[in-house]
Amino acid sequence: MGKQRVLSGIQPTGDYHLGNYLGAIRNWVEGQNEYENYLFVADLHAITVPHEPKQLASDTYTLVALYLACGLDLTHSTIFVQSHVSAHSELTWLLNCITPLNWLQDMIQFKEKAVKQGENVSVGLLDYPVLMTSDILLYQADKVPVGEDQKQHLELTRDIAARFNHLFAKDQPVLKLPDPLIRKEGARVMSLADGTRKMSKSDPSELSRINLLDTPEQIQYKIKRCKTDPIRGLTFDDPERPECNNLLTLYTLLSGKTKEEVAVECQDMGWGQFKPLLTETTINALKPIQEKYQAITDDKTYIESVLRDGREKAQAIANQTLSQVKAALGYLAPV
Ligand code: TYM
């Protein structure tokens, strides 16, 4: 039996942070030998909210370089840009026509983002989960490694796939139902400014997140300023201390220690002792990624060749699924 297939992606909207790394990229890298991986830059998703055209291409390029710098290995992983494979847009249209509107109106992320935009909410924002569904189903993915915030989108993906198979491919299912792969630790990294909100690119405060390309000085400054509490002795899982739980979790994941080891190490610490420790650990964990990023990012020819290869491999699979979907829907095949 061949390897199971993994698919996942990140939006190129600048400021890639520890949440993206610990909730997604790091898990892709750790599991990559086990799977056949398709990892992409979700640039079509990036325009569902107002965006800056001058930034889109460079944010996309940076994210590809970061994927490589974080350790994605091209012998196991195919890296590509979503907009380079037109099947994503085409399948979205086809699936739009079988997706009930109220399934999309119920999406938590839509409701949250729509509130922020008032009257300017685009159809694209509402339709975003169908695009994400297409991303996944095109590759017949078995597993989708993501952070906790994407769980509802994956449930919708399964619902749409099942509905399609039921309506148009009863005898022989065309679309595979994927399973989410959400790790317990790191699936929900919280903001440094408020331990009850998730760390996010769209938070207007830079102090709320640590970015993968932050300098040691920036990291030190952000950790120094991050929200804590007045209690001495640091503990996990106290609902009254969300910041404490978040910072200890970050320390655990970035140091490679176990939760039990960290619980013992930090049980008598005050913040004055813990913050420098977290700062040093974060700087050291990000250093190899940043060094590799610097080496890769200037090599435009290499990045272009990675994306050319990626596009070809991705297109081959995506176009095959698209043809099967069109055939099931009854379209006349081109000659
Ligand atoms: P995006 O770009 O918002 O986030 C990319 C990945 O990072 C995870 N993540 C987090 N994990 C833990 N803690 C956090 N604070 C945190 N913030 C973000 C996300 O869960 C995600 O795994 N819709 C997706 C992109 C996408 C996609 C796909 C993913 C488009 N098509 C197909 C998987 C499969 C998104 O906006 O992720």
Side-chain angles (χ1 to χ4, degrees), residues 229-264:
D229 56 33
I231 305 168
R232 210 187 151 75
L234 309 180
T235 49
F236 284 102
D237 301 323
D238 180 343
E240 302 291 314
R241 306 182 71 189
E243 288 79 20
C244 185
N245 186 60
N246 187 43
L247 296 171
L248 284 184
T249 304
L250 285 180
Y251 176 57
T252 308
L253 292 168
L254 295 170
S255 66
K257 294 179 182 171
T258 64
K259 188 171 172 181
E260 292 70 32
E261 284 168 342
V262 169
V264 173

PDB file of all heavy atoms in Angstrom, residues 229-264:
ATOM      1  N   ASP A 229       0.566  37.479  35.225  1.00  0.00           N
ATOM      2  CA  ASP A 229      -0.316  37.697  36.377  1.00  0.00           C
ATOM      3  C   ASP A 229       0.573  37.872  37.608  1.00  0.00           C
ATOM      4  O   ASP A 229       1.765  37.624  37.555  1.00  0.00           O
ATOM      5  CB  ASP A 229      -1.313  36.532  36.509  1.00  0.00           C
ATOM      6  CG  ASP A 229      -0.608  35.180  36.604  1.00  0.00           C
ATOM      7  OD1 ASP A 229       0.495  35.116  37.179  1.00  0.00           O
ATOM      8  OD2 ASP A 229      -1.152  34.192  36.093  1.00  0.00           O
ATOM      9  N   PRO A 230      -0.023  38.275  38.722  1.00  0.00           N
ATOM     10  CA  PRO A 230       0.833  38.573  39.883  1.00  0.00           C
ATOM     11  C   PRO A 230       1.169  37.349  40.741  1.00  0.00           C
ATOM     12  O   PRO A 230       1.773  37.500  41.797  1.00  0.00           O
ATOM     13  CB  PRO A 230      -0.010  39.578  40.675  1.00  0.00           C
ATOM     14  CG  PRO A 230      -1.405  39.440  40.200  1.00  0.00           C
ATOM     15  CD  PRO A 230      -1.419  38.645  38.948  1.00  0.00           C
ATOM     16  N   ILE A 231       0.811  36.149  40.265  1.00  0.00           N
ATOM     17  CA  ILE A 231       0.982  34.969  41.134  1.00  0.00           C
ATOM     18  C   ILE A 231       2.374  34.355  40.965  1.00  0.00           C
ATOM     19  O   ILE A 231       2.886  34.246  39.855  1.00  0.00           O
ATOM     20  CB  ILE A 231      -0.103  33.916  40.795  1.00  0.00           C
ATOM     21  CG1 ILE A 231      -1.489  34.564  40.896  1.00  0.00           C
ATOM     22  CG2 ILE A 231       0.005  32.698  41.699  1.00  0.00           C
ATOM     23  CD1 ILE A 231      -2.604  33.725  40.313  1.00  0.00           C
ATOM     24  N   ARG A 232       2.969  33.964  42.077  1.00  0.00           N
ATOM     25  CA  ARG A 232       4.277  33.307  42.017  1.00  0.00           C
ATOM     26  C   ARG A 232       4.095  31.794  41.908  1.00  0.00           C
ATOM     27  O   ARG A 232       3.158  31.230  42.459  1.00  0.00           O
ATOM     28  CB  ARG A 232       5.061  33.628  43.293  1.00  0.00           C
ATOM     29  CG  ARG A 232       6.537  33.635  43.045  1.00  0.00           C
ATOM     30  CD  ARG A 232       7.396  33.771  44.255  1.00  0.00           C
ATOM     31  NE  ARG A 232       8.632  33.085  43.954  1.00  0.00           N
ATOM     32  CZ  ARG A 232       9.578  33.570  43.160  1.00  0.00           C
ATOM     33  NH1 ARG A 232       9.443  34.750  42.622  1.00  0.00           N
ATOM     34  NH2 ARG A 232      10.671  32.874  42.910  1.00  0.00           N
ATOM     35  N   GLY A 233       5.005  31.146  41.163  1.00  0.00           N
ATOM     36  CA  GLY A 233       4.849  29.700  40.934  1.00  0.00           C
ATOM     37  C   GLY A 233       4.010  29.521  39.678  1.00  0.00           C
ATOM     38  O   GLY A 233       2.904  30.027  39.583  1.00  0.00           O
ATOM     39  N   LEU A 234       4.576  28.835  38.681  1.00  0.00           N
ATOM     40  CA  LEU A 234       3.893  28.760  37.383  1.00  0.00           C
ATOM     41  C   LEU A 234       3.273  27.381  37.181  1.00  0.00           C
ATOM     42  O   LEU A 234       3.926  26.368  37.429  1.00  0.00           O
ATOM     43  CB  LEU A 234       4.885  29.077  36.262  1.00  0.00           C
ATOM     44  CG  LEU A 234       5.681  30.379  36.457  1.00  0.00           C
ATOM     45  CD1 LEU A 234       6.636  30.607  35.291  1.00  0.00           C
ATOM     46  CD2 LEU A 234       4.760  31.575  36.611  1.00  0.00           C
ATOM     47  N   THR A 235       2.010  27.381  36.748  1.00  0.00           N
ATOM     48  CA  THR A 235       1.310  26.100  36.571  1.00  0.00           C
ATOM     49  C   THR A 235       0.556  26.046  35.243  1.00  0.00           C
ATOM     50  O   THR A 235       0.070  27.055  34.761  1.00  0.00           O
ATOM     51  CB  THR A 235       0.251  25.887  37.678  1.00  0.00           C
ATOM     52  OG1 THR A 235      -0.530  27.080  37.770  1.00  0.00           O
ATOM     53  CG2 THR A 235       0.870  25.562  39.007  1.00  0.00           C
ATOM     54  N   PHE A 236       0.463  24.838  34.696  1.00  0.00           N
ATOM     55  CA  PHE A 236      -0.348  24.594  33.500  1.00  0.00           C
ATOM     56  C   PHE A 236      -1.822  24.486  33.894  1.00  0.00           C
ATOM     57  O   PHE A 236      -2.147  24.166  35.040  1.00  0.00           O
ATOM     58  CB  PHE A 236       0.020  23.225  32.891  1.00  0.00           C
ATOM     59  CG  PHE A 236       1.315  23.204  32.133  1.00  0.00           C
ATOM     60  CD1 PHE A 236       2.468  22.670  32.711  1.00  0.00           C
ATOM     61  CD2 PHE A 236       1.379  23.677  30.825  1.00  0.00           C
ATOM     62  CE1 PHE A 236       3.658  22.613  31.994  1.00  0.00           C
ATOM     63  CE2 PHE A 236       2.566  23.614  30.108  1.00  0.00           C
ATOM     64  CZ  PHE A 236       3.709  23.084  30.700  1.00  0.00           C
ATOM     65  N   ASP A 237      -2.677  24.670  32.889  1.00  0.00           N
ATOM     66  CA  ASP A 237      -4.092  24.258  32.968  1.00  0.00           C
ATOM     67  C   ASP A 237      -4.929  24.904  34.068  1.00  0.00           C
ATOM     68  O   ASP A 237      -5.936  24.334  34.473  1.00  0.00           O
ATOM     69  CB  ASP A 237      -4.198  22.721  33.118  1.00  0.00           C
ATOM     70  CG  ASP A 237      -3.537  21.994  31.943  1.00  0.00           C
ATOM     71  OD1 ASP A 237      -3.645  22.498  30.815  1.00  0.00           O
ATOM     72  OD2 ASP A 237      -2.890  20.956  32.181  1.00  0.00           O
ATOM     73  N   ASP A 238      -4.507  26.067  34.576  1.00  0.00           N
ATOM     74  CA  ASP A 238      -5.354  26.759  35.536  1.00  0.00           C
ATOM     75  C   ASP A 238      -6.235  27.730  34.745  1.00  0.00           C
ATOM     76  O   ASP A 238      -5.724  28.671  34.133  1.00  0.00           O
ATOM     77  CB  ASP A 238      -4.459  27.513  36.546  1.00  0.00           C
ATOM     78  CG  ASP A 238      -5.273  28.265  37.585  1.00  0.00           C
ATOM     79  OD1 ASP A 238      -6.487  28.472  37.359  1.00  0.00           O
ATOM     80  OD2 ASP A 238      -4.689  28.655  38.612  1.00  0.00           O
ATOM     81  N   PRO A 239      -7.562  27.495  34.730  1.00  0.00           N
ATOM     82  CA  PRO A 239      -8.431  28.345  33.908  1.00  0.00           C
ATOM     83  C   PRO A 239      -8.374  29.826  34.305  1.00  0.00           C
ATOM     84  O   PRO A 239      -8.694  30.706  33.510  1.00  0.00           O
ATOM     85  CB  PRO A 239      -9.836  27.777  34.142  1.00  0.00           C
ATOM     86  CG  PRO A 239      -9.723  26.810  35.258  1.00  0.00           C
ATOM     87  CD  PRO A 239      -8.296  26.452  35.453  1.00  0.00           C
ATOM     88  N   GLU A 240      -7.923  30.072  35.537  1.00  0.00           N
ATOM     89  CA  GLU A 240      -7.802  31.473  35.985  1.00  0.00           C
ATOM     90  C   GLU A 240      -6.524  32.117  35.452  1.00  0.00           C
ATOM     91  O   GLU A 240      -6.310  33.310  35.612  1.00  0.00           O
ATOM     92  CB  GLU A 240      -7.735  31.538  37.527  1.00  0.00           C
ATOM     93  CG  GLU A 240      -8.927  30.914  38.243  1.00  0.00           C
ATOM     94  CD  GLU A 240     -10.184  31.737  38.023  1.00  0.00           C
ATOM     95  OE1 GLU A 240     -10.100  32.965  38.154  1.00  0.00           O
ATOM     96  OE2 GLU A 240     -11.235  31.139  37.680  1.00  0.00           O
ATOM     97  N   ARG A 241      -5.621  31.289  34.855  1.00  0.00           N
ATOM     98  CA  ARG A 241      -4.309  31.819  34.427  1.00  0.00           C
ATOM     99  C   ARG A 241      -4.005  31.435  32.969  1.00  0.00           C
ATOM    100  O   ARG A 241      -3.051  30.697  32.694  1.00  0.00           O
ATOM    101  CB  ARG A 241      -3.205  31.266  35.351  1.00  0.00           C
ATOM    102  CG  ARG A 241      -3.459  31.520  36.824  1.00  0.00           C
ATOM    103  CD  ARG A 241      -2.321  31.007  37.675  1.00  0.00           C
ATOM    104  NE  ARG A 241      -1.127  31.821  37.534  1.00  0.00           N
ATOM    105  CZ  ARG A 241       0.065  31.496  38.024  1.00  0.00           C
ATOM    106  NH1 ARG A 241       0.240  30.375  38.679  1.00  0.00           N
ATOM    107  NH2 ARG A 241       1.101  32.292  37.840  1.00  0.00           N
ATOM    108  N   PRO A 242      -4.817  31.950  32.021  1.00  0.00           N
ATOM    109  CA  PRO A 242      -4.623  31.548  30.618  1.00  0.00           C
ATOM    110  C   PRO A 242      -3.255  31.949  30.063  1.00  0.00           C
ATOM    111  O   PRO A 242      -2.664  31.208  29.277  1.00  0.00           O
ATOM    112  CB  PRO A 242      -5.756  32.276  29.876  1.00  0.00           C
ATOM    113  CG  PRO A 242      -6.200  33.374  30.786  1.00  0.00           C
ATOM    114  CD  PRO A 242      -5.938  32.901  32.183  1.00  0.00           C
ATOM    115  N   GLU A 243      -2.753  33.115  30.502  1.00  0.00           N
ATOM    116  CA  GLU A 243      -1.441  33.552  29.989  1.00  0.00           C
ATOM    117  C   GLU A 243      -0.344  32.610  30.469  1.00  0.00           C
ATOM    118  O   GLU A 243       0.575  32.255  29.728  1.00  0.00           O
ATOM    119  CB  GLU A 243      -1.112  34.990  30.436  1.00  0.00           C
ATOM    120  CG  GLU A 243      -1.927  36.072  29.738  1.00  0.00           C
ATOM    121  CD  GLU A 243      -3.337  36.245  30.290  1.00  0.00           C
ATOM    122  OE1 GLU A 243      -3.573  35.815  31.444  1.00  0.00           O
ATOM    123  OE2 GLU A 243      -4.201  36.802  29.578  1.00  0.00           O
ATOM    124  N   CYS A 244      -0.460  32.202  31.734  1.00  0.00           N
ATOM    125  CA  CYS A 244       0.550  31.320  32.319  1.00  0.00           C
ATOM    126  C   CYS A 244       0.569  29.986  31.561  1.00  0.00           C
ATOM    127  O   CYS A 244       1.631  29.478  31.182  1.00  0.00           O
ATOM    128  CB  CYS A 244       0.215  31.106  33.796  1.00  0.00           C
ATOM    129  SG  CYS A 244       1.437  30.154  34.670  1.00  0.00           S
ATOM    130  N   ASN A 245      -0.593  29.455  31.294  1.00  0.00           N
ATOM    131  CA  ASN A 245      -0.668  28.181  30.561  1.00  0.00           C
ATOM    132  C   ASN A 245      -0.062  28.324  29.167  1.00  0.00           C
ATOM    133  O   ASN A 245       0.702  27.468  28.704  1.00  0.00           O
ATOM    134  CB  ASN A 245      -2.133  27.734  30.459  1.00  0.00           C
ATOM    135  CG  ASN A 245      -2.237  26.359  29.837  1.00  0.00           C
ATOM    136  OD1 ASN A 245      -1.705  25.387  30.364  1.00  0.00           O
ATOM    137  ND2 ASN A 245      -2.871  26.285  28.683  1.00  0.00           N
ATOM    138  N   ASN A 246      -0.382  29.438  28.510  1.00  0.00           N
ATOM    139  CA  ASN A 246       0.115  29.647  27.143  1.00  0.00           C
ATOM    140  C   ASN A 246       1.642  29.765  27.112  1.00  0.00           C
ATOM    141  O   ASN A 246       2.312  29.136  26.290  1.00  0.00           O
ATOM    142  CB  ASN A 246      -0.530  30.915  26.563  1.00  0.00           C
ATOM    143  CG  ASN A 246      -0.209  31.110  25.105  1.00  0.00           C
ATOM    144  OD1 ASN A 246      -0.244  30.159  24.314  1.00  0.00           O
ATOM    145  ND2 ASN A 246       0.139  32.329  24.718  1.00  0.00           N
ATOM    146  N   LEU A 247       2.197  30.558  28.050  1.00  0.00           N
ATOM    147  CA  LEU A 247       3.649  30.770  28.028  1.00  0.00           C
ATOM    148  C   LEU A 247       4.399  29.490  28.404  1.00  0.00           C
ATOM    149  O   LEU A 247       5.441  29.170  27.823  1.00  0.00           O
ATOM    150  CB  LEU A 247       4.023  31.932  28.957  1.00  0.00           C
ATOM    151  CG  LEU A 247       3.438  33.297  28.506  1.00  0.00           C
ATOM    152  CD1 LEU A 247       3.652  34.361  29.566  1.00  0.00           C
ATOM    153  CD2 LEU A 247       4.035  33.746  27.168  1.00  0.00           C
ATOM    154  N   LEU A 248       3.849  28.735  29.332  1.00  0.00           N
ATOM    155  CA  LEU A 248       4.489  27.457  29.677  1.00  0.00           C
ATOM    156  C   LEU A 248       4.405  26.478  28.502  1.00  0.00           C
ATOM    157  O   LEU A 248       5.348  25.725  28.244  1.00  0.00           O
ATOM    158  CB  LEU A 248       3.810  26.824  30.896  1.00  0.00           C
ATOM    159  CG  LEU A 248       4.129  27.405  32.269  1.00  0.00           C
ATOM    160  CD1 LEU A 248       3.438  26.582  33.349  1.00  0.00           C
ATOM    161  CD2 LEU A 248       5.621  27.446  32.547  1.00  0.00           C
ATOM    162  N   THR A 249       3.284  26.514  27.792  1.00  0.00           N
ATOM    163  CA  THR A 249       3.146  25.628  26.627  1.00  0.00           C
ATOM    164  C   THR A 249       4.162  26.006  25.557  1.00  0.00           C
ATOM    165  O   THR A 249       4.806  25.137  24.947  1.00  0.00           O
ATOM    166  CB  THR A 249       1.709  25.711  26.059  1.00  0.00           C
ATOM    167  OG1 THR A 249       0.799  25.394  27.114  1.00  0.00           O
ATOM    168  CG2 THR A 249       1.500  24.743  24.910  1.00  0.00           C
ATOM    169  N   LEU A 250       4.315  27.308  25.330  1.00  0.00           N
ATOM    170  CA  LEU A 250       5.319  27.738  24.346  1.00  0.00           C
ATOM    171  C   LEU A 250       6.702  27.241  24.755  1.00  0.00           C
ATOM    172  O   LEU A 250       7.468  26.726  23.931  1.00  0.00           O
ATOM    173  CB  LEU A 250       5.334  29.274  24.239  1.00  0.00           C
ATOM    174  CG  LEU A 250       4.178  29.915  23.474  1.00  0.00           C
ATOM    175  CD1 LEU A 250       4.330  31.429  23.443  1.00  0.00           C
ATOM    176  CD2 LEU A 250       4.120  29.378  22.042  1.00  0.00           C
ATOM    177  N   TYR A 251       7.010  27.420  26.041  1.00  0.00           N
ATOM    178  CA  TYR A 251       8.322  26.982  26.523  1.00  0.00           C
ATOM    179  C   TYR A 251       8.489  25.462  26.315  1.00  0.00           C
ATOM    180  O   TYR A 251       9.534  24.997  25.862  1.00  0.00           O
ATOM    181  CB  TYR A 251       8.483  27.372  28.001  1.00  0.00           C
ATOM    182  CG  TYR A 251       9.768  26.893  28.619  1.00  0.00           C
ATOM    183  CD1 TYR A 251      10.999  27.264  28.063  1.00  0.00           C
ATOM    184  CD2 TYR A 251       9.766  26.065  29.736  1.00  0.00           C
ATOM    185  CE1 TYR A 251      12.192  26.820  28.616  1.00  0.00           C
ATOM    186  CE2 TYR A 251      10.951  25.612  30.296  1.00  0.00           C
ATOM    187  CZ  TYR A 251      12.157  25.984  29.732  1.00  0.00           C
ATOM    188  OH  TYR A 251      13.339  25.534  30.267  1.00  0.00           O
ATOM    189  N   THR A 252       7.456  24.719  26.611  1.00  0.00           N
ATOM    190  CA  THR A 252       7.521  23.255  26.446  1.00  0.00           C
ATOM    191  C   THR A 252       7.816  22.893  24.991  1.00  0.00           C
ATOM    192  O   THR A 252       8.734  22.119  24.693  1.00  0.00           O
ATOM    193  CB  THR A 252       6.161  22.620  26.842  1.00  0.00           C
ATOM    194  OG1 THR A 252       5.797  23.084  28.127  1.00  0.00           O
ATOM    195  CG2 THR A 252       6.228  21.110  26.834  1.00  0.00           C
ATOM    196  N   LEU A 253       7.033  23.484  24.082  1.00  0.00           N
ATOM    197  CA  LEU A 253       7.168  23.103  22.666  1.00  0.00           C
ATOM    198  C   LEU A 253       8.500  23.558  22.084  1.00  0.00           C
ATOM    199  O   LEU A 253       9.118  22.851  21.290  1.00  0.00           O
ATOM    200  CB  LEU A 253       6.007  23.698  21.860  1.00  0.00           C
ATOM    201  CG  LEU A 253       4.633  23.097  22.191  1.00  0.00           C
ATOM    202  CD1 LEU A 253       3.519  23.923  21.570  1.00  0.00           C
ATOM    203  CD2 LEU A 253       4.561  21.656  21.698  1.00  0.00           C
ATOM    204  N   LEU A 254       8.947  24.743  22.490  1.00  0.00           N
ATOM    205  CA  LEU A 254      10.171  25.278  21.888  1.00  0.00           C
ATOM    206  C   LEU A 254      11.430  24.675  22.512  1.00  0.00           C
ATOM    207  O   LEU A 254      12.486  24.639  21.879  1.00  0.00           O
ATOM    208  CB  LEU A 254      10.195  26.807  21.995  1.00  0.00           C
ATOM    209  CG  LEU A 254       9.096  27.505  21.182  1.00  0.00           C
ATOM    210  CD1 LEU A 254       9.030  28.994  21.519  1.00  0.00           C
ATOM    211  CD2 LEU A 254       9.315  27.321  19.677  1.00  0.00           C
ATOM    212  N   SER A 255      11.320  24.206  23.759  1.00  0.00           N
ATOM    213  CA  SER A 255      12.513  23.630  24.404  1.00  0.00           C
ATOM    214  C   SER A 255      12.645  22.148  24.081  1.00  0.00           C
ATOM    215  O   SER A 255      13.707  21.564  24.266  1.00  0.00           O
ATOM    216  CB  SER A 255      12.427  23.806  25.927  1.00  0.00           C
ATOM    217  OG  SER A 255      11.343  23.042  26.430  1.00  0.00           O
ATOM    218  N   GLY A 256      11.529  21.525  23.662  1.00  0.00           N
ATOM    219  CA  GLY A 256      11.566  20.082  23.406  1.00  0.00           C
ATOM    220  C   GLY A 256      11.448  19.267  24.675  1.00  0.00           C
ATOM    221  O   GLY A 256      11.588  18.045  24.663  1.00  0.00           O
ATOM    222  N   LYS A 257      11.198  19.937  25.815  1.00  0.00           N
ATOM    223  CA  LYS A 257      11.019  19.195  27.081  1.00  0.00           C
ATOM    224  C   LYS A 257       9.587  18.676  27.165  1.00  0.00           C
ATOM    225  O   LYS A 257       8.714  19.127  26.416  1.00  0.00           O
ATOM    226  CB  LYS A 257      11.288  20.117  28.269  1.00  0.00           C
ATOM    227  CG  LYS A 257      12.737  20.564  28.334  1.00  0.00           C
ATOM    228  CD  LYS A 257      12.975  21.500  29.500  1.00  0.00           C
ATOM    229  CE  LYS A 257      14.433  21.952  29.489  1.00  0.00           C
ATOM    230  NZ  LYS A 257      14.720  23.006  30.437  1.00  0.00           N
ATOM    231  N   THR A 258       9.341  17.767  28.107  1.00  0.00           N
ATOM    232  CA  THR A 258       7.960  17.293  28.280  1.00  0.00           C
ATOM    233  C   THR A 258       7.221  18.259  29.205  1.00  0.00           C
ATOM    234  O   THR A 258       7.831  19.026  29.961  1.00  0.00           O
ATOM    235  CB  THR A 258       7.913  15.890  28.920  1.00  0.00           C
ATOM    236  OG1 THR A 258       8.459  16.002  30.240  1.00  0.00           O
ATOM    237  CG2 THR A 258       8.698  14.867  28.116  1.00  0.00           C
ATOM    238  N   LYS A 259       5.903  18.144  29.149  1.00  0.00           N
ATOM    239  CA  LYS A 259       5.064  18.981  30.001  1.00  0.00           C
ATOM    240  C   LYS A 259       5.392  18.722  31.482  1.00  0.00           C
ATOM    241  O   LYS A 259       5.474  19.657  32.282  1.00  0.00           O
ATOM    242  CB  LYS A 259       3.596  18.649  29.701  1.00  0.00           C
ATOM    243  CG  LYS A 259       2.612  19.553  30.354  1.00  0.00           C
ATOM    244  CD  LYS A 259       1.201  19.292  29.824  1.00  0.00           C
ATOM    245  CE  LYS A 259       0.183  20.078  30.628  1.00  0.00           C
ATOM    246  NZ  LYS A 259      -1.193  19.865  30.196  1.00  0.00           N
ATOM    247  N   GLU A 260       5.609  17.463  31.826  1.00  0.00           N
ATOM    248  CA  GLU A 260       5.910  17.108  33.221  1.00  0.00           C
ATOM    249  C   GLU A 260       7.228  17.738  33.669  1.00  0.00           C
ATOM    250  O   GLU A 260       7.333  18.281  34.762  1.00  0.00           O
ATOM    251  CB  GLU A 260       6.004  15.576  33.385  1.00  0.00           C
ATOM    252  CG  GLU A 260       4.689  14.829  33.210  1.00  0.00           C
ATOM    253  CD  GLU A 260       4.154  14.819  31.770  1.00  0.00           C
ATOM    254  OE1 GLU A 260       4.983  14.824  30.824  1.00  0.00           O
ATOM    255  OE2 GLU A 260       2.929  14.831  31.582  1.00  0.00           O
ATOM    256  N   GLU A 261       8.224  17.690  32.777  1.00  0.00           N
ATOM    257  CA  GLU A 261       9.524  18.296  33.137  1.00  0.00           C
ATOM    258  C   GLU A 261       9.375  19.797  33.370  1.00  0.00           C
ATOM    259  O   GLU A 261       9.914  20.356  34.326  1.00  0.00           O
ATOM    260  CB  GLU A 261      10.538  18.067  31.990  1.00  0.00           C
ATOM    261  CG  GLU A 261      11.078  16.655  31.923  1.00  0.00           C
ATOM    262  CD  GLU A 261      11.847  16.367  30.611  1.00  0.00           C
ATOM    263  OE1 GLU A 261      11.678  17.110  29.621  1.00  0.00           O
ATOM    264  OE2 GLU A 261      12.583  15.393  30.595  1.00  0.00           O
ATOM    265  N   VAL A 262       8.609  20.446  32.489  1.00  0.00           N
ATOM    266  CA  VAL A 262       8.448  21.903  32.609  1.00  0.00           C
ATOM    267  C   VAL A 262       7.638  22.241  33.869  1.00  0.00           C
ATOM    268  O   VAL A 262       7.953  23.199  34.585  1.00  0.00           O
ATOM    269  CB  VAL A 262       7.781  22.477  31.333  1.00  0.00           C
ATOM    270  CG1 VAL A 262       7.370  23.922  31.532  1.00  0.00           C
ATOM    271  CG2 VAL A 262       8.731  22.350  30.149  1.00  0.00           C
ATOM    272  N   ALA A 263       6.635  21.423  34.158  1.00  0.00           N
ATOM    273  CA  ALA A 263       5.817  21.682  35.357  1.00  0.00           C
ATOM    274  C   ALA A 263       6.705  21.684  36.606  1.00  0.00           C
ATOM    275  O   ALA A 263       6.582  22.558  37.470  1.00  0.00           O
ATOM    276  CB  ALA A 263       4.716  20.629  35.470  1.00  0.00           C
ATOM    277  N   VAL A 264       7.619  20.737  36.675  1.00  0.00           N
ATOM    278  CA  VAL A 264       8.506  20.663  37.844  1.00  0.00           C
ATOM    279  C   VAL A 264       9.506  21.820  37.824  1.00  0.00           C
ATOM    280  O   VAL A 264       9.710  22.513  38.822  1.00  0.00           O
ATOM    281  CB  VAL A 264       9.255  19.302  37.858  1.00  0.00           C
ATOM    282  CG1 VAL A 264      10.304  19.273  38.962  1.00  0.00           C
ATOM    283  CG2 VAL A 264       8.261  18.155  38.015  1.00  0.00           C
TER     284      VAL A 264
END
